Amino acid sequence: MSKHPVRAQKEEAAMTDLAEIKVARNAEQNRYEIFYGGGLAGFTEYVERGNDSDFVHTEIDKAFEGKGLGSKLAKEALDDVVARGRTITAHCPFIKAYVGKHPEYEQHMTAKSGQR
């Protein structure tokens, strides 16, 4: 522990930033979930049709806002869909906006989401 109060705040902030962040696909509930420090912090839901994964809703718990978890969740979910050889449809406004900022996913998008 630091004896200097300002330094202690920095140490505490650094410890918070080191919380484990994990994204996992929950196939039973058709969603990707993001965990922060072991607790469920949010999810993005999808519907699978044939070879397409249609993202329909994304939600991050207000207690975890401002940590960049939504973007991490979107990236890892989209990367998993691409790795599994599937196409992406983005009806969820958050996922649609994320893809709009990351053109590397454009070639994997279907015309249904308006990104192509």
Side-chain angles (χ1 to χ4, degrees):
M1 294 294 270
S2 173
K3 294 178 182 179
H4 193 279
V6 173
R7 184 177 239 177
Q9 289 175 345
K10 286 182 180 177
E11 288 173 355
E12 185 175 307
M15 288 179 66
T16 301
D17 293 340
L18 294 176
E20 182 182 2
I21 299 171
K22 180 182 173 188
V23 175
R25 182 166 59 101
N26 181 338
E28 286 185 16
Q29 294 191 21
N30 287 341
R31 67 186 199 176
Y32 289 86
E33 299 168 334
I34 189 162
F35 296 88
Y36 184 84
L40 180 63
F43 58 85
T44 185
E45 296 175 323
Y46 59 87
V47 176
E48 290 189 336
R49 293 183 197 93
N51 194 39
D52 186 58
S53 294
D54 183 357
F55 288 88
V56 294
H57 179 70
T58 301
E59 191 171 316
I60 298 293
D61 188 302
K62 289 183 189 260
F64 298 97
E65 287 181 350
K67 300 181 183 305
L69 298 180
S71 293
K72 181 160 181 67
L73 173 62
K75 179 186 183 335
E76 293 204 21
L78 294 171
D79 286 350
D80 183 66
V81 168
V82 170
R84 292 188 304 130
R86 302 181 61 79
T87 57
I88 300 165
T89 299
H91 282 109
C92 166
F94 183 85
I95 297 295
K96 193 172 194 171
Y98 184 87
V99 170
K101 294 177 184 173
H102 297 85
E104 63 269 27
Y105 295 107
E106 190 172 315
Q107 65 182 322
H108 305 285
M109 299 298 294
T110 64
K112 290 183 266 182
S113 57
Q115 294 291 329
R116 286 181 109 174

